[in-house]
Amino acid sequence: ELFLKENNYWFICATKGWGKTFLLKVKRKILQKEGMICLPYNKMLDSIQGSFILSKDKINYLANTQNWIDIWSIAIKLSIFKYLLHHKKRTKDKEPENNISTERLMIDDPLYTELIENEDLQYTCDFFNNILNLSISEISRLKKIDTNSMVPLYKRLDYPIAIFIDNTDEAFRDHLYDVTGATKASHGII
C-alpha cells in the first residue's frame, strides 16, 4: 500500500507470484496521471532480455558491487538521454528553459556516440545488456565519460522521471547454479 501511495519507495522485493509486476504497472499509471515522465515510453515495463556468458575476468570485475552500480547508473542515464533526444525529435518541442539542450546531450566521445545513436538501444535494459557485453577497458572508459560528462548533465534535469524495470533476477537466475548447486560463476560461465 505504501508503495502505491508514496513516491519515496523505489523497489519491490517479494517471492515470485506475489504481484510485483502488477504493482509496478499500477504505480506507473498513478505516476503518469500525476504528469511524471515514465520510461520505457512505449511499453509498461522494461526487462532484461537474453542471457549472459561472461569470462572469468568479467566475473572478477563484477564481483565488486560498485561496478554493478556503475553499470546500472550509466544504463539509466543513457536511456533517459536517449528518450530526451527522441522526444524532442518526435514532438519538435522547444528546448525547456533552465534545462538540457539536445546539443549538450551529444557528448563528444565515439563510444558514447555509438551507444546513444544505436537504434537497437532504447531502454535501460538494452543499454545494460550492451554495457555488460563491452570489454572491461571499454566499461572503464564509459565510467570516465559518466563521471566527467553524463553526471553533470543528469544533475541538470529539473523534472521527475520514473523508470519501471521488472524481472532483473530472471536474466541471471538460470546461470548462477547448475543442478549440483555449484556456482557456474566459479567455472567462468554466467
Side-chain angles (χ1 to χ4, degrees):
E1 187 175 346
L2 287 175
F3 176 76
L4 294 176
K5 290 183 178 179
E6 297 183 22
N7 288 340
N8 58 345
Y9 290 90
W10 298 10
F11 301 95
I12 302 174
C13 296
T15 306
K16 188 170 181 67
W18 282 68
K20 297 178 298 295
T21 299
F22 175 74
L23 286 174
L24 284 171
K25 289 177 180 180
V26 171
K27 180 72 170 195
R28 180 184 172 117
K29 287 184 182 253
I30 291 169
L31 293 177
Q32 282 178 306
K33 284 182 184 175
E34 294 174 359
M36 187 177 290
I37 296 171
C38 294
L39 301 179
Y41 59 88
N42 62 357
K43 61 182 184 175
M44 290 295 287
L45 304 171
D46 194 2
S47 63
I48 297 174
Q49 302 297 314
S51 59
F52 302 95
I53 298 174
L54 302 173
S55 68
K56 282 189 177 188
D57 287 341
K58 185 74 68 79
I59 290 167
N60 290 335
Y61 177 79
L62 295 172
N64 180 335
T65 304
Q66 187 60 50
N67 290 329
W68 282 105
I69 292 168
D70 293 343
I71 291 169
W72 274 111
S73 178
I74 291 167
I76 288 167
K77 287 183 212 102
L78 284 168
S79 68
I80 290 171
F81 294 169
K82 181 85 168 226
Y83 166 79
L84 293 173
L85 286 166
H86 281 269
H87 177 72
K88 304 270 184 197
K89 289 178 188 175
R90 282 194 315 270
T91 62
K92 307 218 184 323
D93 284 347
K94 291 183 179 179
E95 303 293 345
E97 291 182 30
N98 300 319
N99 210 334
I100 302 172
S101 69
T102 52
E103 291 80 29
R104 296 217 39 205
L105 291 172
M106 292 310 299
I107 296 167
D108 186 25
D109 182 276
L111 179 57
Y112 174 87
T113 302
E114 180 184 328
L115 290 168
I116 207 77
E117 291 183 351
N118 185 333
E119 292 299 320
D120 293 331
L121 305 177
Q122 297 294 321
Y123 310 120
T124 301
C125 291
D126 296 337
F127 284 107
F128 175 82
N129 289 356
N130 193 279
I131 293 166
L132 202 55
N133 286 316
L134 293 174
S135 69
I136 294 172
S137 64
E138 289 172 314
I139 294 172
S140 296
R141 193 166 118 220
L142 196 53
K143 287 167 73 170
K144 287 179 186 168
I145 296 166
D146 181 47
T147 301
N148 296 332
S149 301
M150 293 170 62
V151 169
L153 284 174
Y154 182 74
K155 287 181 177 180
R156 292 193 59 204
L157 291 175
D158 62 356
Y159 41 82
I161 298 175
I163 301 174
F164 291 84
I165 302 172
D166 195 16
N167 299 325
T168 57
D169 61 323
E170 291 184 19
F172 299 99
R173 182 187 60 215
D174 294 339
H175 304 285
L176 292 175
Y177 299 96
D178 63 20
V179 291
T180 65
T183 63
K184 289 186 177 183
S186 66
H187 295 81
I189 303 169
I190 287 191

